[in-house]
Amino acid sequence: MRWRSIDARARRVICVIVFVAFSCVALIAQTAGVSQLRLMNRSGLIVAPSLQLPAAPISAAVADLNGDGNPDMVVTIQGSGNVTVLLGDGKGAFASGLSFPAGQQPGNVILADVNGDGRIDIVVTDRAAGAVQVLAGRGDGTFGAATAFPAIANPVAITAANISGKGKIDLVVAASTGIALLLNDGAGHFRGPSNFMLTS
């Protein structure tokens, strides 16, 4: 999910994520340069303590990262070079974030089991490197070192799908100049890319 800013007087809402299981909405609100994660119910009331984030967030994705059945969140932070993992407690609150290096300029993030081990992995675009970074999940909310796979210059978006029809999670990475297709070998290694450039 890419966050789009909506100015609201002194407070700026950076992102909205819906948690269907909780009938709540998680949002990032920024006030005086400070970003906070807040969980609100349908009436607009905050139902869990706000969690301050270290800086301006760029993108977020949600999945159960530690196998406890509760939704967790991964956030990319502008200028940090890291992804931040926020573990949910099942009551709408999140623990303080754990950071994992994710290349030079992590941007758009998705969560999927790309290596077929039953654990959720982090896949994030790296704009500066023209690549995607893959962090293998350990199943406990922590992740291994990032592995870079070349994609396309200045990637701005990413999605995952079974493009090859072989039951493996492949990646499609978009940039202003075109898209890159990265095929998964089933172990979380991506070959290619096959680039399709846009023409005017």
Side-chain angles (χ1 to χ4, degrees):
M1 173 185 292
R2 185 72 179 179
W3 296 358
R4 300 187 181 276
S5 301
I6 303 175
D7 290 321
R9 296 184 179 180
R11 178 173 298 155
R12 194 165 57 128
V13 176
I14 309 293
C15 175
V16 176
I17 302 174
V18 177
F19 288 98
V20 176
F22 297 144
S23 297
C24 292
V25 172
L27 60 84
I28 299 294
Q30 191 175 72
T31 306
V34 177
S35 297
Q36 291 183 321
L37 172 67
R38 302 180 180 185
L39 198 71
M40 307 177 73
N41 63 19
R42 293 178 179 178
S43 299
L45 300 176
I46 295 174
V47 296
S50 298
L51 176 64
Q52 184 170 327
L53 297 175
I58 300 173
S59 175
V62 174
D64 179 10
L65 303 177
N66 57 1
D68 64 357
N70 300 324
D72 308 306
M73 190 182 306
V74 175
V75 181
T76 54
I77 303 296
Q78 183 175 348
S80 71
N82 300 322
V83 291
T84 298
V85 175
L86 307 171
L87 298 179
D89 66 358
K91 300 177 181 178
F94 293 85
S96 298
L98 300 173
S99 293
F100 300 90
Q104 302 176 50
Q105 193 178 0
N108 201 273
V109 62
I110 60 173
L111 301 174
D113 176 15
V114 299
N115 59 8
D117 65 355
R119 302 167 182 171
I120 296 295
D121 310 308
I122 297 173
V123 184
V124 59
T125 59
D126 186 342
R127 187 178 180 88
V132 295
Q133 302 282 348
V134 176
L135 290 75
R138 299 188 178 112
D140 59 358
T142 65
F143 294 83
T147 300
F149 297 94
I152 193 170
N154 301 313
V156 296
I158 186 171
T159 190
N162 178 20
I163 302 297
S164 66
K166 297 179 180 179
K168 302 169 184 176
I169 296 178
D170 308 308
L171 302 175
V172 179
V173 184
S176 61
T177 55
I179 63 173
L181 172 61
L182 287 79
L183 296 180
N184 191 344
D185 67 358
H189 301 106
F190 294 91
R191 50 183 206 275
S194 298
N195 289 351
F196 303 88
M197 309 311 291
L198 299 178
T199 58
S200 57

